Amino acid sequence: MARHSRLCVVAALAIVALSGCGARPGAAGDTSPRLTATTTTTSATSTSPTSPTSPTSEAPLPSSATGGESSPPAQENRCTAGMLAGTVEPQNAAAGSRYVTLVVRNKSQQTCTLWGYGSLDLLDASKNVLPTQAERTLGPVPTLVRLRPGAAAGKILHWGVVATGDEPADGPCQPAASSINVIPPDETAPFEVDFEFGPVCDSGRIETSAYFPR
């Protein structure tokens, strides 16, 4: 009887222990499947290339104050002296100064281009070169001008008619010019144009613009 009583007590204790263990999920020996929520954090990383931090450089524009020119565009066929003829058209005169437009026309049978200011020299009646200071100070600044046969371009000229410095005040400030040698941009040979506007004072100082379409 005593042995039977001990067996009953042991069996009862085992039943209680097993029921207690089965009440806790996740205990050892529990093989039932469970879902686990997992949160994934993704950090956004920019893969776009970064721009260099070097300062931005810009091609300088021509300055009408300094007469500077930017790099010329490619020209298929520059206008040469032999392709051009010219005239000088008077504009409204201001007190003590004169304004004219030098007009050049393509007399050839080919299309040619002008870009820039070119140059000029004042000539007297005997075709001697007079003091001339051509200064690139007037607008417009250079632009490519394409001249078809018979087409024209213009260039503004401005000068003073009042004696300056040691020039005589009671007579002509300089010898009178009767024509000008006009040298197209990027060329060396001139062509002659009539210029019947008298002396150019201040030692032949003439302000000029670049050529522009007409």
Side-chain angles (χ1 to χ4, degrees):
M1 290 295 293
R3 182 183 177 196
H4 178 72
S5 299
R6 287 197 298 274
L7 289 173
C8 289
V9 171
V10 171
L13 291 174
I15 292 171
V16 172
L18 288 173
S19 64
C21 292
R24 296 195 315 271
D30 182 13
T31 59
S32 59
R34 294 182 302 278
L35 295 176
T36 303
T38 303
T39 303
T40 304
T41 302
T42 304
S43 54
T45 303
S46 174
T47 59
S48 60
T50 57
S51 300
T53 57
S54 58
T56 302
S57 61
E58 296 183 359
L61 294 175
S63 169
S64 61
T66 62
E69 297 184 19
S70 62
S71 298
Q75 299 184 60
E76 300 171 0
N77 185 29
R78 288 200 308 263
C79 298
T80 64
M83 303 172 74
L84 301 173
T87 57
V88 178
E89 298 179 356
Q91 306 297 322
N92 294 331
S97 64
R98 300 289 183 269
Y99 284 91
V100 300
T101 301
L102 170 62
V103 179
V104 299
R105 190 174 303 277
N106 183 2
K107 66 179 183 178
S108 76
Q109 300 303 310
Q110 303 177 49
T111 297
C112 64
T113 58
L114 292 170
W115 190 93
Y117 297 85
S119 187
L120 60 87
D121 287 309
L122 298 167
L123 304 176
D124 65 14
S126 300
K127 311 303 179 185
N128 298 313
V129 177
L130 298 174
T132 310
Q133 303 178 63
E135 298 184 359
R136 302 169 179 180
T137 56
L138 302 180
V141 294
T143 185
L144 185 64
V145 181
R146 190 178 302 277
L147 294 182
R148 291 185 171 86
K155 171 178 175 171
I156 300 171
L157 307 180
H158 168 250
W159 69 94
V161 293
V162 177
T164 63
D166 58 358
E167 293 176 336
D170 55 352
C173 59
Q174 292 288 332
S178 61
S179 61
I180 52 176
N181 268 346
V182 177
I183 304 172
D186 300 313
E187 296 294 320
T188 56
F191 64 99
E192 190 174 340
V193 179
D194 290 339
F195 185 88
E196 302 291 342
F197 297 92
V200 176
C201 295
D202 196 7
S203 300
R205 179 176 176 266
I206 300 180
E207 296 177 317
T208 79
S209 75
Y211 284 99
F212 53 86
R214 289 272 294 184

